[in-house]
Amino acid sequence: MRRVFLWILVGIVVACAPPPAAPTPAWPTWPVFDTPTSPALSPTPIAMTNTPPPSPTTLPTLPPAASPTVAATATPSLVLPVHNPYAVVLVAPNDVLNIRQGPGVSFSIVGTLPPTGTGVIRTGPAAWVGGDRWVQIQHPNGGSGWVNFYYLTEYVAPTDFCADAQVNALLNQLHLSIVNNNGNQFASLVSPSHGVDVRLWRYGTVANYTPAEAAWAFQSTFVVEWGPEPGSGLPTSGTFGQQILPRLQEVFGGNFSLHCNDPLNLAMYTLVPWPPEYANVNYYTVYKPGSNVYYGLDWRAWIVGIEYVEGVPRLFALIHFQWEP
């Protein structure tokens, strides 16, 4: 009886005791990752290619007319001094200069000249047709033909160009016109045949100034969209006086050096510093070295293209270059 009582007492104690605590589950330990500090984002550089953007002066491909009898009336009395030999200019690398049977696009095509062709010989006759000047040339395969004179320039061998004192005189006059902010002097140097092509960036907008336009370019309020800045890709716009003139003055007003038909190391920043459609035009690179303050990275350069018009060197192109990140 006593044993039964003890078992009943134990059962009561067990029943009244609180239940044991549930074991705490062992949660997995997640690794703690350090949040990396994001580097400062830099604008994506402009992707450059060997093919420049289309130029307004690219020779269009025009179909020949069914019959040359519908050709516009030509003025054969046009007198253009002959300075043989000539070379092809302002024709895109993937295009050709058409030789036609007569003066004007209504005449049939009788041949072509390559975009870098040289040794073009004028025979003398010239004519105005629809506002364009046409000249007769010797056909490479014999006989003669006509080409648009806009796409020809007087050929001067590079060695002769670099030794020509006239070119040095032109560069001196260009220097004075820029540092003295003299638009009239600047205009007197511009090619009357092709004007001067101005590029703030090598692959940006080409702004062409005739001699008359160049005279007021320094003070003009006309805003040009010059294109994206290499490296940053930011759009640049402004007048000639806001964007072009200060950069010209920085170089020509500083300690610059001249390099004949030599692009220096500008190809590190642009694939083809001198445009292929200018291949038969000689040039000087005007280079201002950088300062020690900016580890030499604040250098600046202009390529100055010079063509001959009636045997006299004239300003043909200005292309700006600077360091690109």
Side-chain angles (χ1 to χ4, degrees):
M1 188 70 179
R2 182 179 179 184
R3 181 175 296 177
V4 172
F5 175 77
L6 290 174
W7 279 110
I8 293 173
L9 179 62
V10 170
I12 294 172
V13 171
V14 170
C16 295
T24 303
W27 296 104
T29 302
W30 299 102
V32 178
F33 295 101
D34 291 332
T35 302
T37 302
S38 298
L41 297 178
S42 58
T44 303
I46 300 300
M48 300 301 182
T49 65
N50 281 312
T51 304
S55 167
T57 56
T58 300
L59 182 65
T61 302
L62 298 171
S67 171
T69 58
V70 298
T73 302
T75 307
S77 59
L78 174 65
V79 176
L80 289 177
V82 176
H83 290 269
N84 286 323
Y86 289 81
V88 178
V89 71
L90 295 172
V91 175
N94 60 347
D95 207 343
V96 294
L97 177 59
N98 292 325
I99 305 173
R100 295 187 178 270
Q101 189 179 41
V105 295
S106 297
F107 286 92
S108 61
I109 298 172
V110 295
T112 60
L113 295 173
T116 58
T118 59
V120 180
I121 303 300
R122 282 186 53 198
T123 58
W128 281 105
V129 181
D132 292 324
R133 295 180 294 180
W134 290 76
V135 295
Q136 190 182 64
I137 64 168
Q138 292 180 3
H139 195 293
N141 296 328
S144 63
W146 291 76
V147 296
N148 190 327
F149 188 59
Y150 181 81
Y151 299 102
L152 294 182
T153 187
E154 296 170 25
Y155 178 78
V156 176
T159 53
D160 294 336
F161 171 80
C162 294
D164 191 352
Q166 292 185 98
V167 176
N168 292 333
L170 180 144
L171 291 171
N172 287 333
Q173 291 297 312
L174 177 61
H175 168 254
L176 291 174
S177 70
I178 290 170
V179 297
N180 294 327
N181 198 15
N182 190 328
N184 288 327
Q185 186 177 20
F186 176 74
S188 69
L189 308 174
V190 172
S191 168
S193 296
H194 295 108
V196 57
D197 282 352
V198 179
R199 305 181 192 220
L200 177 59
W201 314 119
R202 165 63 179 86
Y203 293 95
T205 299
V206 181
N208 181 269
Y209 295 83
T210 65
E213 294 166 339
W216 52 259
F218 289 11
Q219 290 78 36
S220 172
T221 58
F222 181 75
V223 174
V224 178
E225 299 295 333
W226 297 102
E229 180 181 20
S232 73
L234 297 175
T236 48
S237 63
T239 66
F240 186 102
Q242 291 169 337
Q243 294 288 1
I244 302 300
L245 188 58
R247 291 173 168 88
L248 283 170
Q249 291 175 335
E250 181 180 345
V251 173
F252 282 88
N255 183 23
F256 63 86
S257 57
L258 298 174
H259 307 268
C260 188
N261 285 322
D262 184 357
L264 301 179
N265 62 348
L266 299 180
M268 294 176 59
Y269 305 97
T270 53
L271 299 178
V272 185
W274 192 231
E277 63 269 28
Y278 298 169
N280 288 320
V281 176
N282 294 287
Y283 64 88
Y284 266 88
T285 299
V286 186
Y287 178 80
K288 181 191 78 68
S291 65
N292 294 330
V293 176
Y294 296 100
Y295 304 99
L297 299 181
D298 54 337
W299 62 267
R300 199 177 297 278
W302 284 89
I303 291 186
V304 180
I306 299 171
E307 75 166 339
Y308 284 71
V309 180
E310 299 182 19
V312 178
R314 298 293 186 184
L315 191 60
F316 176 87
L318 291 169
I319 307 178
H320 168 253
F321 296 86
Q322 66 182 32
W323 180 78
E324 301 173 17

